[in-house]
Amino acid sequence: MFLPALLTLSVLSGCETPATATHEVRSVVAGSVAETIIASDRTCEEARGRAFGPSVVGVQLTGVPSSVALGASFTPNAQALMSDGSSLDVGRFVRTSNTGVLGVAGSAFVALGGGVAEVRVACGSHRRSLQVTVTGGSDSGQLVANLKVVRFDGGSGPTAISNGIPLVQGAFQPAAIANLRMYVSGVEQPARIQALEGRFHDGSVRAVLVQFTTTVNGAQTASASLRLVGARPALAMPPLMETSLAPDAAALPSDATYLRSTNAAGKLPAYPLTNVPAVVATHDAEYAQLHEKDWGRCAAAWDCGRTSGYDRAQMVYELWFRTANPLYWRRASLMVKDYVTRYAGPNNGGLPPWWTQPRSVALNYQLTGESKARVLARQMAEVHAFQTRPMPNWGQGWAIADGDDRREARAMVAGLAATSVGADSPIVGLVTQFASYFSPSTMSQWIGLLPSSQKANGCFCAPVYSDGQKNFMVGMLLTSLIRYYEEVNADPRILPIVQRAADYMWENEWLLLDRGFKYVSNNRIENGAVAESSKAAPDLNAFTLPAYAWLYKQTRRQEYLDRYTIILSGLWRPMMATSGKHFDQGYADVASTYLWIQ
């Protein structure tokens, strides 16, 4: 006579249906415990690998302590006792009545929280349970970041979560990542949490990839948290999931203060601004409004209304870091996805400087864990290092003023981006012909060469502009040096370079009545006609703002703050609401400047 098998399952565990069980499976609830009855009378025998034989006459459970300290683990043993005197190992059918007190880590049980739970095993009509008391309070751990689980695809039911979470510098060395845990609605989840590539200067981890499955329906969200617990086994880790440049669901930090503390998008001020001149607060407040218009025109298309690019996605990511609004995270990620899949990826990072956008690509890796973004960040760093290699016969290189300071600026920005994701050395498996042009020491070497291309008066004068310069490109170069100073190394060589250049531009290139810097110092003539004019270009004013804000931060000299506000006041705004390019020009690299002038 065969006996039906009754298996008691935990909330977090799937039903382990025997391969040969073919009858109906139905779920019932007994107390607070979910039980699954499998209509097969051969479960225990089949687990032993035989279809016929002695029947089950009892079940025993050992290895279960009556009490256990918080964080400790134990492994129960369970046997079905057979009518012929033999026993059958049925340890895989052991379950717990309270997964908040006891969690499952492989075949072991882990004490997660204070309280009482039953450890149960059932085989056929025979059951056995033992009570376990966990002492020491709840090991819910130390809060790292409050999160919100958001679903962007409008679907319902279980969904896979896979995204990156930026960390605060110094918070976690690589070995400590093993003690991070994911909680949803206060319950620990079986989750994969691993360090992403890229380290701060102290060796601490910049971001972690989190992967787990949870249920979120439509526009609903679920509260979650990333926590640091004591040394104890983790719950069963899910299989490695596929990553994406723009995931359809994510667990995102919900606290803007925490996000800003990571400095993952640079050092940014709170939103909205306080303690700044009115013209600055107004300019910042208008960004979100203009972004909505730009999104309405272009959605995620990276090249819409733009004849050159100033990293539109980076600016939207910055707004997310300042507001914690997941809408901005989603839009910026979609922009990066469009840029990578339609342009930068197919070209393997071999881009001209006016179309390279490495900051948002590298940041996307930290926020999604998608390795394509990291590989592309390295490729762009190699290509732009090659493009700025010293070639005296061509009048090119960091020691030579060639008139296109944007090229050097983009090389520095690409280098910074690659460094942030641990790609300042060649990536294993990525073989390009330019790998040798960029290494961990390259950017410092560039800074050492740069004074040779700058005149004593501060001008980056070049023959192509009749011994003049193109001012917005100089502004881009200065901004890249400042970012190196702020993010990598407070190199004392940088301040005098920036100060000489900014003083020269204000004294020689600023046109007071037109409230803008000259586009170029002197007209550039081609075939007897003016190809580039020395008239004011106030639509490009924002490219020079970082230099004056940073000099105010470094020196606290009032004239630099005054110049900053005058330049911003002169920014030509009419086309910013209708032209994507002009919109980007008005805000590129500006967000950090708000912090420097406070």
Side-chain angles (χ1 to χ4, degrees), residues 55 123 144 213 291 364 454 520 581:
S55 60
C123 190
V144 176
T213 299
H291 163 71
N364 179 270
Q454 184 183 33
V520 292
K581 177 185 177 184

Side-chain angles (χ1 to χ4, degrees), residues 353-386:
W354 52 89
W355 275 131
T356 186
Q357 301 179 27
R359 289 190 70 192
S360 62
V361 170
L363 184 54
N364 179 270
Y365 168 73
Q366 296 180 359
L367 300 180
T368 70
E370 174 51 62
S371 59
K372 291 179 184 177
R374 179 171 180 260
V375 169
L376 184 57
R378 173 66 198 187
Q379 289 174 322
M380 285 191 279
E382 292 178 3
V383 168
H384 289 299
F386 173 77

Side-chain angles (χ1 to χ4, degrees), residues 328-518:
Y328 298 128
W329 183 93
R330 173 64 168 174
R331 288 181 176 178
S333 299
L334 288 171
M335 292 175 188
V336 173
K337 181 178 180 180
D338 187 74
Y339 175 72
V340 170
T341 57
R342 287 205 299 118
Y343 180 63
N347 286 285
N348 296 317
L351 314 176
W354 52 89
W355 275 131
T356 186
Q357 301 179 27
R359 289 190 70 192
S360 62
V361 170
L363 184 54
N364 179 270
Y365 168 73
Q366 296 180 359
L367 300 180
T368 70
E370 174 51 62
S371 59
K372 291 179 184 177
R374 179 171 180 260
V375 169
L376 184 57
R378 173 66 198 187
Q379 289 174 322
M380 285 191 279
E382 292 178 3
V383 168
H384 289 299
F386 173 77
Q387 290 176 349
T388 56
R389 70 197 184 283
M391 297 185 68
N393 291 339
W394 285 19
Q396 173 186 307
W398 284 80
I400 301 173
D402 60 8
D404 193 345
D405 302 293
R406 170 182 54 188
R407 183 161 50 196
E408 284 76 19
R410 291 304 194 195
M412 181 67 78
V413 170
L416 291 167
T419 299
S420 71
V421 295
D424 48 355
S425 296
I427 297 176
V428 175
L430 173 64
V431 179
T432 76
Q433 64 193 92
F434 307 126
S436 63
Y437 289 92
F438 186 75
S439 70
S441 63
T442 299
M443 290 186 290
S444 179
Q445 293 170 0
W446 286 343
I447 295 170
L449 294 171
L450 194 57
S452 297
S453 67
Q454 184 183 33
K455 289 193 171 183
N457 63 3
C459 180
F460 285 94
C461 297
V464 68
Y465 298 124
S466 302
D467 207 26
Q469 65 182 20
K470 187 173 284 188
N471 291 295
F472 85 92
M473 290 189 181
V474 173
M476 293 174 68
L477 176 60
L478 300 182
T479 299
S480 71
L481 296 176
I482 292 168
R483 289 196 53 238
Y484 178 90
Y485 186 101
E486 293 286 325
E487 297 175 18
V488 176
N489 177 26
D491 193 315
R493 298 173 295 178
I494 290 175
L495 178 58
I497 295 173
V498 174
Q499 192 164 17
R500 285 196 303 267
D503 289 345
Y504 173 84
M505 279 197 294
W506 184 258
E507 294 164 5
N508 298 276
E509 305 289 323
W510 177 255
L511 298 178
L512 179 62
L513 297 180
D514 297 314
R515 299 201 306 168
F517 290 100
K518 297 177 183 180

